[in-house]
Amino acid sequence: KEPKKMVEDLSAMGLRHVGYGIPTDMFGPFVTACVQTVREMTDDLPAEEAFRWSLNLISRILCRVITEGSTIVMKAINVNSAKLLRKAVACAPRGKRAMWVLNVQVGTQSISPLVWAIETGSLDASRAILVDLLTIRADRDRYYYGMDTLFERHPDIIQRLCLDAPGLLKTLLDGLIWRSRVTQNGFRRVNYYVKHMLVDKQGDFAKASEWLVSNNDPEPICHPVV
């Protein structure tokens, strides 16, 4: 009745299968097995043919989404390899590097490689993503720093880490500090990037401190950023 919504739902399912690492060549045998099962349950040929046609269409949509969504970043996350993750994002232009690890979109549906890595326990890949995002880079025209993009895409990243990967909180907080390599009179300049820890995008007080307190862990509370 609502084909557009159905395609969107199937696209969302396909993106989840990207995270599961499902090979597309498994869909053919799956469709065949389902059709054979239905054939044993009914003698209604038109119903069987309708079921076959529908399942073939669904499998083609899922295969397309998986093919388009299976980026080298997602493949690195599926094997939880920090080395492959760094190699994958090294292929990205500096201006698009952050979005390679924060957004994979097919049609109207999207999935975050970072959140998927956290939720599936791929902590090595998650740590590599956070380190890459929070590394300051530059070319002749500008500096690149993924902090704003990270908090815009995931304003609840502190809460997610508290719940699913508390061991990565230090990695995130360390990335919000820049220390100069040059010393002067025994001192060196240090910048703290705490805007998103204090204020959300609506201009209200951010909940980062509340989430950290609710986490009941003194280590992140003692971090210089906090």
Side-chain angles (χ1 to χ4, degrees):
K1 294 182 179 180
E2 299 181 23
K4 184 176 181 180
K5 184 177 183 302
M6 179 60 69
V7 171
E8 291 179 353
D9 291 343
L10 288 172
S11 297
M13 182 189 299
L15 282 174
R16 288 196 298 273
H17 279 69
V18 171
Y20 300 146
I22 304 297
T24 54
D25 54 7
M26 298 294 292
F27 282 92
F30 176 76
V31 170
T32 301
C34 290
V35 172
Q36 289 177 351
T37 301
V38 169
R39 182 180 300 157
E40 295 174 357
M41 299 173 61
T42 180
D43 295 328
D44 190 339
L45 294 180
E48 178 190 331
E49 185 58 32
F51 180 77
R52 181 199 303 273
W53 182 87
S54 300
L55 212 56
N56 276 328
L57 179 60
I58 291 171
S59 68
R60 287 199 296 271
I61 293 174
L62 291 175
C63 286
R64 177 183 63 83
V65 172
I66 292 173
T67 300
E68 294 181 10
S70 294
T71 64
I72 52 179
V73 170
M74 290 298 292
K75 291 177 180 177
I77 291 172
N78 287 338
V79 295
N80 191 25
S81 172
K83 180 179 179 180
L84 290 178
L85 194 289
R86 289 191 292 268
K87 186 176 180 180
V89 294
C91 301
R94 285 182 177 173
K96 298 181 179 179
R97 192 175 183 121
M99 293 310 298
W100 273 40
V101 296
L102 291 175
N103 189 57
V104 172
Q105 183 155 350
V106 177
T108 59
Q109 301 298 313
S110 64
I111 189 173
S112 168
L114 172 59
V115 169
W116 182 263
I118 293 171
E119 291 179 347
T120 57
S122 299
L123 299 185
D124 291 342
S126 302
R127 183 175 288 103
I129 290 175
L130 289 174
V131 170
D132 190 85
L133 280 170
L134 300 176
T135 298
I136 298 176
R137 297 177 175 86
D139 56 23
R140 292 183 178 181
D141 299 322
R142 55 169 293 185
Y143 287 95
Y144 300 92
Y145 183 39
M147 177 195 65
D148 287 334
T149 308
L150 170 62
F151 281 93
E152 286 170 7
R153 179 77 167 103
H154 301 299
D156 61 341
I157 185 62
I158 297 292
Q159 184 183 38
R160 287 182 180 274
L161 293 180
C162 287
L163 294 175
D164 298 324
L168 296 180
L169 280 171
K170 185 178 185 300
T171 302
L172 173 63
L173 297 174
D174 285 346
L176 301 180
I177 301 175
W178 173 83
R179 295 179 175 88
S180 174
R181 61 183 176 83
V182 179
T183 60
Q184 185 175 6
N185 298 325
F187 296 92
R188 61 176 175 171
R189 180 179 173 182
V190 178
N191 290 350
Y192 292 85
Y193 298 93
V194 296
K195 175 179 73 174
H196 297 288
M197 300 291 291
L198 300 174
V199 183
D200 61 20
K201 62 181 179 181
Q202 285 80 29
D204 301 322
F205 284 112
K207 293 186 176 181
S209 298
E210 178 183 335
W211 292 328
L212 289 171
V213 170
S214 300
N215 191 42
N216 294 322
D217 185 356
E219 183 175 351
I221 295 296
C222 295
H223 195 278
V225 167
V226 181

